[in-house]
Amino acid sequence: MQGFALLLALLLAGCQRGMQPVAFHAEGRPAKLSDWHVVEVHDGQLQLNDGVVPYDLNTPLFTDYAHKLRTIWMPKGASGKYQPVDTLDFPVGTVFSKTFYYPRAADGKFSDVARTADYSRDFAGQGLEMANVRLIETRILVHRQNGWEAIPYVWNDAQTEATLARTGAVLPLTLVAASARDGIPAREDFNYVVPDESQCASCHAQDWIDRKVHPIGPKARHINKNYLYADGEHNQLEHLAKVGYLGGVPALATVPRDVDAGDPKAPLDARARAWLDINCGHCHNPNGAANTTGLSLIHGTPENHELGICKPPTAAGQGTGNHFFDIVPGQPDASIIPYRLTSTEPGTMMPEIGRSTADHEAIALIKAWIAAMPGTCTVLH
């Protein structure tokens, strides 16, 4: 731990070398990620600029086992406002970045990336150690006068710069694990798909009536957690308030919090609901793109028909796997939700954007959650 803290301090001290101040582009699509001066590669590290604050989520959204470095920056004097349920209210000028990357596979090719939940060699937070990671893409989400706009960038093979990719990209990669386990192969070839701008907007439009883009992750319940900053471990909401990026934060005891879905010590129901909330809730909510399904998977949805329990699908066919209900209590293999989470076929898989592989750990979690549910469903003929 002492060595890790020292490295963080060195990374922080090394930040900003050769970097111009962060640039807020009020319009247009800059051709290079470095035009924003939010994160840049210098001296063998992906470094964060002055005023760029890293943050993390209690439960992250799954993207083909990619690791993510999330940051937020605001112009001097600007500040966001606390919201108890919805996305925190960030002012015009706010710039979010999310860098998707993988730990490099040991003795592997450039296309070989490690499938691991271990971040210890990434040093994510105050920067990334380039010798240990492969950068894939960085997405910029910027709040302009006309609203939020998503702008994707893809890193070059030299790992020196990311360039604008308005139409997205497809990168062939191979996930490499230490060994095969539970039917999961040690090597898995897949195509990492960088979404185009319209696909970014479709996920980030949480209200399908106005279709305005909003950040997904920075809700109080998702970021109410501690983070190891260079000067020590602090609650993220309190840290954002301390640096002037967030006002109106109440006592932490009153702030909602989703659990870490990967924490085996947390209650099973809380873990499953947290995973569904962040991975599915941005579409499956009363105002989202999937509101016509009648299925709501956001935090706080009652455990009834609305959550999918004994709820028949709105359409039959390929997406149902010939199952009758979204959730059949006690019978995960008869339920539509785990069937769609397991699939990697377009038109069947859910979420339908943002992955080419299945989240095996999440599937096991959701199946265990459904298996533990009491009750039965009645099929009407």
Side-chain angles (χ1 to χ4, degrees), residues 24 35 69 95 145 149 155 204 217 234 242-243 256 258 287 299:
F24 165 63
D35 291 332
L69 171 61
V95 179
Q145 198 63 47
E149 295 187 39
W155 285 90
H204 283 272
H234 309 287
K242 178 182 177 182
V243 300
D258 273 357
N287 298 315
H299 175 91

Side-chain angles (χ1 to χ4, degrees), residues 38-61:
V38 173
V39 294
E40 295 180 13
V41 174
H42 292 283
D43 302 324
Q45 299 163 353
L46 181 70
Q47 297 179 358
L48 280 58
N49 209 341
D50 186 34
V52 176
V53 178
Y55 71 96
D56 199 8
L57 308 183
N58 283 309
T59 295
L61 191 149

Side-chain angles (χ1 to χ4, degrees), residues 75-312:
K76 188 174 182 179
S79 180
K81 298 178 182 177
Y82 174 83
Q83 302 287 338
V85 177
D86 296 331
T87 301
L88 304 177
D89 186 4
F90 296 104
V92 171
T94 301
V95 179
F96 283 96
S97 80
K98 183 161 63 171
T99 298
F100 296 69
Y101 68 94
Y102 289 93
R104 294 179 184 266
D107 302 322
K109 299 180 297 183
F110 186 63
S111 59
D112 288 353
V113 294
R115 186 181 67 217
T116 176
D118 182 7
Y119 275 67
S120 63
R121 297 182 70 250
D122 304 352
F123 307 115
Q126 309 305 325
L128 297 178
E129 187 63 54
M130 295 297 298
N132 296 334
V133 303
R134 176 182 171 179
L135 306 179
I136 303 295
E137 60 164 319
T138 295
R139 301 176 191 174
I140 293 289
L141 190 63
V142 55
H143 196 183
R144 291 170 165 166
Q145 198 63 47
N146 61 343
W148 291 93
E149 295 187 39
I151 308 175
Y153 294 86
V154 174
W155 285 90
N156 59 19
D157 287 352
Q159 301 282 271
T160 55
E161 179 65 274
T163 55
L164 182 64
R166 299 188 67 170
T167 58
V170 177
L171 305 175
L173 299 174
T174 301
L175 284 169
V176 179
S179 61
R181 60 176 178 82
D182 302 326
I184 307 171
R187 296 180 61 87
E188 180 179 0
D189 296 330
F190 74 104
N191 287 323
Y192 183 102
V193 178
V194 178
D196 60 37
E197 286 187 347
S198 63
Q199 290 174 316
C200 290
S202 68
C203 280
H204 283 272
Q206 299 178 63
D207 188 325
W208 207 238
I209 297 174
D210 63 28
R211 301 200 179 191
K212 292 182 179 179
V213 170
H214 296 279
I216 294 174
K219 296 180 174 68
R221 64 182 180 272
H222 296 323
I223 66 173
N224 181 14
K225 63 171 291 187
N226 285 356
Y227 190 95
L228 182 60
Y229 300 95
D231 63 345
E233 188 171 307
H234 309 287
N235 179 273
Q236 294 185 137
L237 291 168
E238 290 185 331
H239 184 77
L240 289 174
K242 178 182 177 182
V243 300
Y245 280 5
L246 187 62
V249 178
L252 288 181
T254 67
V255 177
R257 178 182 177 272
D258 273 357
V259 304
D260 176 358
D263 180 5
K265 297 180 181 178
L268 177 62
D269 178 74
R271 294 172 60 201
R273 296 294 298 271
W275 192 93
L276 292 170
D277 184 20
I278 188 65
N279 282 275
C280 310
H282 50 280
C283 286
H284 284 281
N285 67 74
N287 298 315
N291 64 342
T292 57
T293 66
L295 179 65
S296 178
L297 299 175
I298 57 174
H299 175 91
T301 301
E303 290 198 7
N304 56 22
H305 202 67
E306 191 177 359
L307 188 64
I309 299 174
C310 297
K311 187 191 83 61

